[in-house]
Amino acid sequence: MAWRGSVIKWTNTGYIRSFKVTTRSSRLSYNKQQRCGFRREAKRPDTKKGNVLEEANQSPSETGKPGPTPFPKAPRPTLLKPLMFTVGFTGCSFGAAAILQYENLKLRVQAARDEEEAEKLLQGSQDMAHWHDWWNKLSGFQRQLILLMSTVDDFWSSLTEGQRTVTGIIAVNAVVLCCWRIPIMQRSMIKYFTSNPASKTKCLPMILSSFSHYSIIHMMANMYVLWTFSSGIVSLLGKEQFLAVYLSAGVISTMVSYICKTTTGRLYPSLGASGAVMAVLAAVCTKVPEAKLGIIFLPMLTFSAGSALKALIAIDTAGLILGWRLLDHAAHLGGALFGIWYIAYGHKLIWRRREPLVKMWHNIRAGESGPKGGPGSSGA
């Protein structure tokens, strides 16, 4: 304990020295105040003790002095417009997905016909000397460029349909992340790419914030989960239906977050694709609950998809009840519940009833191509 006694002794001596210095400096305090521009405060007239007590007991209205003005209470934001936007955007997403699927089927049929015709032409022409002469006429740079394009095409063909679909989503998130690093765009990014029920712009950020990440780690975590489950979800739903579910889940999860923030009064902005990613994860785990999952850093630890989904829902529920601010647990729960509901009921209620819309679109396309003598012309 020798070091403790020396420290106490040192502090005591320092305190005594500082006390002596302050007593000496108090003698010269008047000159210093004048030099710095300060003036001595005038001596107040003595008042009786009774008058002081009477003034203290008087209220501000009795003395004539205005009291402290209370801060005006902020009005609770209305959520009617965001709710209407959520319903309208979800309907438009599934309608556009149905039309996109129709157009893709037509393109596939046309591409198959063109491929058959090209094979017939190649079978008829046995002269390969023409292609050798064409390759020999190319420069070295042109050959390297063609080989690079061929390598990229082979890599793209090796990806699954789900991975090719989410590549565009990852690219959009990466571009938005770069925009956050541009100082001149900070004001617009906060206005349109962060969702906050207290903001004047509520509707458009509901979808744009689902593609917005400020932290690189946050974006990498979300996109890794999306890339991992992309093959399963696209094989179950198809890429068109998957895009509709993903976009709708982003808006619906933000709407759930708006409701919880308005109810609790914690009006803070949030961003990220976690709500939409949770919908994808929940949909796959609901459809295939016995699938085995693992953690990238702990490959020896495996668990079922159903157990993982229950654990995530329990954590987000606890975070929402206890008021944790690290993540937007309300958006996570909204996305997960939407994914579970869509696999259980939504697919039958929404996607299987798209036939009238597709027929109407087909009639519109047939009417456009009819006068030109296309397949929709019915002979006049």
Side-chain angles (χ1 to χ4, degrees):
M1 301 298 289
W3 61 272
R4 184 177 180 181
S6 60
V7 170
I8 295 174
K9 183 177 179 181
W10 177 78
T11 54
N12 290 334
T13 54
Y15 174 76
I16 294 171
R17 291 177 181 175
S18 63
F19 178 76
K20 292 180 180 180
V21 171
T22 53
T23 53
R24 290 178 182 177
S25 62
S26 62
R27 301 174 185 175
L28 304 176
S29 61
Y30 177 73
N31 295 332
K32 288 184 178 180
Q33 286 177 359
Q34 283 185 335
R35 193 179 303 138
C36 296
F38 294 99
R39 291 183 298 175
R40 176 177 284 182
E41 185 180 1
K43 187 176 181 181
R44 296 182 178 179
D46 295 335
T47 57
K48 295 181 180 181
K49 187 176 182 180
N51 296 335
V52 174
L53 294 175
E54 290 178 0
E55 290 181 4
N57 292 331
Q58 290 179 352
S59 61
S61 60
E62 293 176 354
T63 56
K65 298 179 181 179
T69 57
F71 290 100
K73 293 184 179 180
R76 182 168 292 184
T78 58
L79 300 179
L80 180 59
K81 285 185 178 180
L83 180 60
M84 295 175 62
F85 177 80
T86 302
V87 175
F89 183 83
T90 301
C92 292
S93 297
F94 282 96
I99 295 173
L100 181 62
Q101 186 185 57
Y102 169 83
E103 294 293 335
N104 287 335
L105 287 175
K106 289 188 65 176
L107 290 176
R108 289 176 185 175
V109 172
Q110 186 65 33
R113 292 176 180 174
D114 295 341
E115 187 176 356
E116 291 179 359
E117 294 178 358
E119 289 180 357
K120 292 178 180 179
L121 291 175
L122 289 176
Q123 290 176 359
S125 61
Q126 299 294 335
D127 187 11
M128 299 299 296
H130 171 73
W131 298 108
H132 288 291
D133 295 338
W134 174 79
W135 178 260
N136 293 328
K137 291 178 181 178
L138 296 177
S139 62
F141 175 76
Q142 291 175 341
R143 293 178 183 178
Q144 294 295 328
L145 184 60
I146 292 174
L147 292 176
L148 178 61
M149 293 175 62
S150 177
T151 304
V152 172
D153 183 69
D154 293 339
F155 171 75
W156 183 258
S157 300
S158 65
L159 298 178
T160 63
E161 188 177 9
Q163 291 173 343
R164 290 196 295 266
T165 303
V166 301
T167 300
I169 298 176
I170 296 173
V172 173
N173 281 271
V175 171
V176 176
L177 179 69
C178 295
C179 292
W180 274 107
R181 300 301 185 270
I182 302 175
I184 197 173
M185 296 185 65
Q186 292 292 315
R187 193 180 188 89
S188 299
M189 298 299 293
I190 294 173
K191 182 178 180 180
Y192 295 106
F193 287 86
T194 58
S195 58
N196 188 355
S199 176
K200 293 182 180 179
T201 308
K202 298 184 183 70
C203 297
L204 190 58
M206 296 178 73
I207 180 60
L208 294 181
S209 62
S210 299
F211 296 89
S212 176
H213 297 82
Y214 188 79
S215 171
I216 299 178
I217 298 177
H218 186 200
M219 192 199 79
M220 291 179 64
N222 281 334
M223 295 301 104
Y224 173 76
V225 175
L226 182 62
W227 179 271
T228 304
F229 287 88
S230 61
S231 300
I233 190 66
V234 172
S235 63
L236 291 174
L237 304 178
K239 65 179 181 180
E240 297 87 5
Q241 189 179 181
F242 158 71
L243 290 174
V245 170
Y246 184 85
L247 295 176
S248 301
V251 177
I252 291 173
S253 62
T254 306
M255 185 65 210
V256 175
S257 176
Y258 277 4
I259 294 173
C260 292
K261 289 177 183 178
T262 306
T263 304
T264 58
R266 299 168 182 171
L267 306 177
Y268 55 90
S270 57
L271 49 78
S274 301
V277 172
M278 280 293 294
V280 173
L281 189 149
V284 175
C285 293
T286 303
K287 191 68 176 179
V288 194
E290 67 278 1
K292 293 297 181 181
L293 302 178
I295 303 176
I296 185 173
F297 300 109
L298 300 173
M300 73 291 298
L301 181 63
T302 59
F303 41 84
S304 64
S307 301
L309 180 60
K310 294 176 183 177
L312 290 174
I313 292 177
I315 292 172
D316 286 321
T317 303
L320 182 62
I321 296 173
L322 299 177
W324 297 344
R325 295 285 296 273
L326 182 61
L327 302 173
D328 194 347
H329 297 282
H332 290 190
L333 282 175
L337 294 177
F338 174 73
I340 296 172
W341 174 85
Y342 187 81
I343 292 298
Y345 306 103
H347 178 75
K348 299 177 183 178
L349 295 175
I350 299 176
W351 191 250
R352 290 186 180 179
R353 298 184 179 182
R354 70 189 187 280
E355 186 176 355
L357 177 63
V358 175
K359 285 184 177 180
M360 183 181 68
W361 179 256
H362 175 74
N363 294 332
I364 294 174
R365 291 294 305 271
E368 291 178 354
S369 59
K372 299 179 182 180
S377 59
S378 58

